[in-house]
Amino acid sequence: MRFEGSQAYVATPDLLLAVNAAVRLQRPLLIKGEPGTGKTLLAEEVAGALGLELFQWHIKSTTKAQQGLYEYDAVSRLRDSQLGDGRVKDIANYIVKGVLWQAFESEKPAVVLIDEIDKADIEFPNDLLRELDRMEFHVYETRETVRARHRPLIFITSNNEKELPDAFLRRCFFHYIRFPDRETMQRIVDVHFPGLKKALLKEALEVFFELREVPGLKKKPSTSELLDWLKLLVAEDIPPEALRSKDGKVIVPPLAGAMLKNEQDLHLFERLVHMARQNR
Amino acid sequence: MLIDFFLHLKSRRLPVSTREFLTLLEGLREGVCSPSVDEFYYYARTCLVKDEAHYDRFDQAFGEYFGHVTEIPGLEAELPEEWLRALARRLLSPEERAKLEKLGWDKLMEELRKRLAEQKGRHQGGSKWIGTGGSSPFGNSGYHPEGVRIGGESAGNRTAVKVWEKREYRNLDDSVELGTRNIKIALRKLRRFAREGAAEELDLDGTIAATARNAGWLDLLMRPERHNAVKVLLFVDVGGSMEDHVRICEELFSACRAEFKHLEHFYFHNCVYESVWRDSRRRHGERIPVSDLLHKYGPDYKLILLGDATMSPYEILHPHGSIEHMNSEPGAAWLRRLLDAWPSAAWLNPEPEHLWSWRQSIGIIHKIVGGRMYPTTLAGIEHAIRDLSRKH
């Protein structure tokens, strides 16, 4: 099983190697990187390319490690007991399987995405150490042990909001998705907009990378913003010349709002453009 | 096998563990990466480095180890095979290649070992010894079809500078100065969630326990939601020598504003005296007596002072020492009062740490705050935050 990138996802050689190492050695792969560089998408693409089922577990600040294994729905059972429902006698009726349990049970090898692990409580990764290591856990209520039929391939993404514990990190492979350079970006855009006119793309990339260089932006536009913007440019049928004015003056590119989503950033940018124009 | 490399990383303060090293070897055995140095570099990084802040350090260490191999005379016996194999690069076109003698892999390695042993001192040009330039298959900047490049800049035939030599991750290193993103991440470590306020959330575990105690009759319990309960007082030095550090103060300040719900900020000049202010434009009109603050904010607040602590020692130690007004009590007394009222405190100093020992006033303040002075690098802020989040 080797991942070689996919139709819709351009992976750099270092990322490919990290994914394949994780596949080969069956270690979880921890992915970090700027927002919008395709961290979450990676798991979907790998699952698609390798023909594996994907189980997604999106983490929130209130998520507990236990919820990924199973939950005991005590409230339903309590309600049923008050109504005199017969199902109450078997506690197994009230065990709700979590994402990891489902993946462990899967007939064929699966991919599990633990998305934004840093959103959870600081103890969350530690609570999953043994489960990820051994790929098994014990269900206290029914006294059974659930073991993975096939070790699933685990992708974990993080936005760096919390530091992850060392013990957890040692068990993972790690990859930091760097912001793509111009060449890679060109390939990414080609994959998403195969018919895009060369001239428009060239101008658009120029504008995009210049925009990223603007000092003081709160949120630099990332890959997904570029793709959105291109989509709009194509939809509105904007000619490449419109991205640059004829007299060589600096202009605010059309639909810049797709790339600068922060009002202050947009304001700052417009002011800079205005200043640049006056200097000419 | 590769143990030297591992120890080298360790000595360069990369937090690598034996477990990770064994995984690295396991992967090599499994053939995860092909025998090219690029892939080995990527694989080793994936396997051994778990924080992008350490990428730059890893790149440097990798490069050092690389260069190291050529520099020690008589190392030929220790040259790991993977390394040599990995070092092999084919740079030239087929015609050019045909022109030059082809040695074959094993022969090449053997030759390399032999010549490493023979070589004494630095060598440049020529066609036999390892060194820079020339057409020997060994050393860098060479034009030999099966040439092996060892460290340094290559002749530029292709991707001359290796990935790790580009040091693209330099700005992610946590010992350099920060950007807003970095600061926010550092501050997030000070989060402490606590349940305060109105009871709006169903306490499921409590409800079950209470219902069980109630012999099965439902007894709903509610509890307040979790919020970040950390409270911060931020005192910022403005004007004078702080002008040099405006950018970093702004970044730190805006990150604090975004991160803490309970944040109170005050400005002072050089040292805290009997009054501070909140709005720089009205600093002379609307001053706030520090003694009011001492009574108003409880000891659960965390105190962060941000200033370069660079002034004349008189401004700290003597009454009437302030350069702006006549102060009846020395700044040191006020500082001690602050520290007594809010025992959980830290002083962040934007001056580079290596300059601290050259400024008398920094030494004095360092002593007053009990050594809790930290540089405004990411590592420094993290250290400060760790100290602040400890129970006092």
Side-chain angles (χ1 to χ4, degrees):
Chain A
M1 246 182 350
R2 258 188 95 77
F3 177 60
E4 302 285 358
S6 74
Q7 296 262 300
Y9 194 88
V10 175
T12 49
D14 48 342
L15 177 60
L16 285 182
L17 196 115
V19 170
N20 286 319
V23 171
R24 191 72 177 263
L25 298 181
Q26 303 188 322
R27 295 286 199 293
L29 178 62
L30 172 64
I31 305 273
K32 279 199 219 168
E34 261 184 61
T37 41
K39 296 189 291 291
T40 307
L41 210 56
L42 177 69
E44 293 172 16
E45 292 300 329
V46 171
L50 300 181
L52 308 176
E53 200 176 344
L54 176 66
F55 294 91
Q56 303 196 31
W57 186 12
H58 300 282
I59 307 298
K60 294 187 283 182
S61 65
T62 50
T63 307
K64 296 271 172 297
Q66 183 67 30
Q67 292 166 350
L69 310 177
Y70 68 93
E71 278 180 289
Y72 169 36
D73 189 359
V75 174
S76 297
R77 195 172 186 213
L78 192 59
R79 184 198 58 216
D80 286 356
S81 80
Q82 308 237 322
L83 297 172
D85 194 312
R87 294 184 340 128
V88 164
K89 294 208 173 56
D90 187 3
I91 196 164
N93 288 329
Y94 299 93
I95 301 283
V96 182
K97 287 174 190 174
V99 175
L100 283 179
W101 191 337
Q102 291 169 28
F104 284 4
E105 261 190 351
S106 167
E107 290 291 340
K108 50 180 198 173
V111 176
V112 176
L113 168 67
I114 304 181
D115 204 13
E116 311 202 24
I117 194 167
D118 53 325
K119 296 279 179 294
D121 191 75
I122 211 134
E123 285 303 321
F124 180 88
N126 277 336
D127 294 346
L128 283 178
L129 280 186
R130 198 185 147 75
E131 283 72 16
L132 293 184
D133 229 14
R134 295 290 190 83
M135 296 288 175
E136 65 174 45
F137 61 90
H138 186 73
V139 186
Y140 169 77
E141 282 80 1
T142 55
R143 312 277 193 276
E144 63 174 317
T145 300
V146 177
R147 268 191 201 90
R149 294 188 190 185
H150 310 276
R151 284 180 75 96
L153 178 58
I154 297 188
F155 287 95
I156 301 162
T157 70
S158 165
N159 277 323
N160 238 351
E161 285 192 16
K162 286 196 195 78
E163 217 171 305
L164 300 170
D166 279 350
F168 181 78
L169 290 177
R170 276 190 209 116
R171 287 163 167 84
C172 297
F173 281 153
F174 171 72
H175 185 78
Y176 180 83
I177 300 188
R178 215 163 54 87
F179 192 81
D181 54 15
R182 192 172 279 258
E183 262 170 58
T184 316
M185 191 55 97
Q186 182 108 33
R187 280 169 54 208
I188 294 174
V189 173
D190 285 345
V191 157
H192 286 265
F193 301 98
L196 200 63
K197 274 173 262 153
K198 278 275 166 292
L200 178 67
L201 178 58
K202 192 174 157 290
E203 287 293 338
L205 280 180
E206 204 101 322
V207 170
F208 173 73
F209 278 99
E210 270 170 28
L211 202 57
R212 272 182 65 86
E213 296 293 310
V214 173
L217 285 186
K218 280 190 174 350
K219 163 81 175 77
K220 288 183 186 174
S222 67
T223 319
S224 57
E225 270 108 35
L226 171 67
L227 295 178
D228 285 349
W229 185 53
L230 285 174
K231 212 180 280 171
L232 284 177
L233 290 182
V234 173
E236 301 269 320
D237 206 13
I238 288 176
E241 305 83 56
L243 301 186
R244 235 163 249 281
S245 64
K246 289 181 203 86
D247 51 358
K249 278 190 178 171
V250 200
I251 53 161
V252 178
L255 307 164
M259 290 193 287
L260 297 172
K261 293 177 173 167
N262 188 308
E263 204 181 299
Q264 279 162 300
D265 280 355
L266 201 57
H267 190 69
L268 171 81
F269 179 64
E270 277 165 4
R271 222 172 49 217
L272 285 172
V273 168
H274 185 68
M275 274 160 57
R277 291 189 75 132
Q278 295 208 319
N279 285 342
R280 294 215 177 214
Chain B
M1 178 173 162
L2 289 178
I3 288 179
D4 282 344
F5 175 58
F6 177 67
L7 293 177
H8 177 72
L9 294 181
K10 222 71 208 147
S11 71
R12 286 292 172 273
R13 293 180 302 115
L14 275 156
V16 286
S17 69
T18 320
R19 184 189 172 113
E20 287 159 320
F21 180 58
L22 292 177
T23 310
L24 178 78
L25 296 183
E26 189 189 333
L28 290 179
R29 197 185 59 200
E30 295 282 325
V32 164
C33 62
S34 71
S36 88
V37 72
D38 279 352
E39 289 212 352
F40 176 71
Y41 162 75
Y42 287 142
Y43 175 58
R45 197 183 68 188
T46 299
C47 201
L48 298 172
V49 188
K50 301 297 161 67
D51 189 343
E52 72 273 17
H54 296 147
Y55 270 14
D56 185 48
R57 220 180 284 168
F58 178 75
D59 286 358
Q60 287 179 61
F62 197 90
E64 276 168 23
Y65 188 78
F66 211 159
H68 204 58
V69 174
T70 56
E71 279 159 19
I72 294 184
L75 195 81
E76 66 288 346
E78 275 87 59
L79 276 179
E81 171 125 24
E82 296 92 320
W83 273 101
L84 297 176
R85 193 175 287 277
L87 284 168
R89 301 180 66 212
R90 287 153 189 82
L91 293 166
L92 303 181
S93 64
E95 310 91 84
E96 283 171 303
R97 196 181 283 197
K99 268 193 253 164
L100 287 161
E101 173 199 317
K102 285 217 282 185
L103 293 168
W105 177 257
D106 289 337
K107 192 82 192 310
L108 194 69
M109 285 302 115
E110 200 183 301
E111 279 283 298
L112 178 63
R113 289 214 173 93
K114 220 160 71 199
R115 289 190 195 181
L116 268 177
E118 282 173 29
Q119 185 181 22
K120 301 266 191 299
R122 192 180 153 76
H123 171 80
Q124 194 135 17
S127 65
K128 189 176 177 198
W129 305 119
I130 298 169
T132 44
S135 62
S136 162
F138 309 116
N140 66 45
S141 315
Y143 287 92
H144 190 281
E146 289 197 308
V148 174
R149 183 179 150 239
I150 306 174
E153 302 284 311
S154 89
N157 301 27
R158 221 170 52 87
T159 53
V161 184
K162 301 306 287 173
V163 198
W164 54 91
E165 285 171 352
K166 287 193 211 153
R167 298 192 55 199
E168 284 168 328
Y169 297 94
R170 200 179 316 194
N171 54 5
L172 297 174
D173 194 333
D174 63 358
S175 49
V176 295
E177 300 243 350
L178 338 118
T180 341
R181 166 182 167 272
N182 295 347
I183 304 173
K184 278 193 191 165
I185 292 163
L187 290 176
R188 274 176 197 173
K189 290 178 186 137
L190 194 54
R191 281 179 178 178
R192 180 175 302 148
F193 288 102
R195 299 184 185 280
E196 268 177 14
E200 286 169 335
E201 201 182 74
L202 177 67
D203 179 2
L204 198 54
D205 293 339
T207 302
I208 294 168
T211 306
R213 267 199 302 278
N214 238 357
W217 282 107
L218 261 181
D219 185 2
L220 290 178
L221 291 189
M222 306 298 275
R223 65 182 172 189
E225 239 181 293
R226 289 174 359 134
H227 294 292
N228 189 0
V230 166
K231 301 169 182 175
V232 176
L233 291 177
L234 181 66
F235 285 77
V236 185
D237 182 359
V238 286
S241 52
M242 284 298 283
E243 293 292 334
D244 304 344
H245 310 297
V246 166
R247 194 186 57 86
I248 200 155
C249 293
E250 278 177 351
E251 286 184 351
L252 188 69
F253 187 69
S254 74
C256 280
R257 283 291 282 270
E259 208 46 51
F260 302 117
K261 210 168 156 197
H262 306 278
L263 173 79
E264 303 291 338
H265 69 275
F266 305 97
Y267 296 112
F268 63 94
H269 185 57
N270 281 357
C271 188
V272 181
Y273 301 105
E274 61 276 359
S275 67
V276 290
W277 62 95
R278 256 180 203 272
D279 188 334
S280 285
R281 272 168 301 179
R282 282 170 292 175
R283 57 177 290 191
H284 297 292
E286 296 177 13
R287 296 185 79 107
I288 306 160
V290 172
S291 49
D292 284 5
L293 300 179
L294 293 174
H295 296 301
K296 186 171 175 188
Y297 300 107
D300 53 334
Y301 272 84
K302 314 225 174 248
L303 174 67
I304 300 178
L305 294 141
L306 174 62
D308 58 2
T310 300
M311 61 197 107
S312 128
Y314 293 107
E315 293 178 53
I316 312 172
L317 296 174
H318 288 257
H320 311 301
S322 166
I323 51 166
E324 290 197 323
H325 69 297
M326 297 298 275
N327 53 318
S328 53
E329 283 178 289
W334 284 106
L335 276 181
R336 290 209 181 89
R337 266 172 219 154
L338 293 186
L339 294 169
D340 287 344
W342 302 293
S344 178
W347 185 297
L348 294 174
N349 193 334
E351 287 289 317
E353 204 170 353
H354 60 91
L355 293 179
W356 291 4
S357 53
W358 301 98
R359 305 237 168 95
Q360 204 188 349
S361 59
I362 296 186
I364 296 167
I365 290 198
H366 195 269
K367 214 157 138 194
I368 294 176
V369 297
R372 290 174 291 176
M373 185 183 279
Y374 306 94
T376 50
T377 58
L378 191 57
I381 291 186
E382 279 186 10
H383 199 164
I385 295 298
R386 217 173 318 139
D387 194 52
L388 284 174
S389 48
R390 223 177 287 147
K391 289 245 189 254
H392 283 273

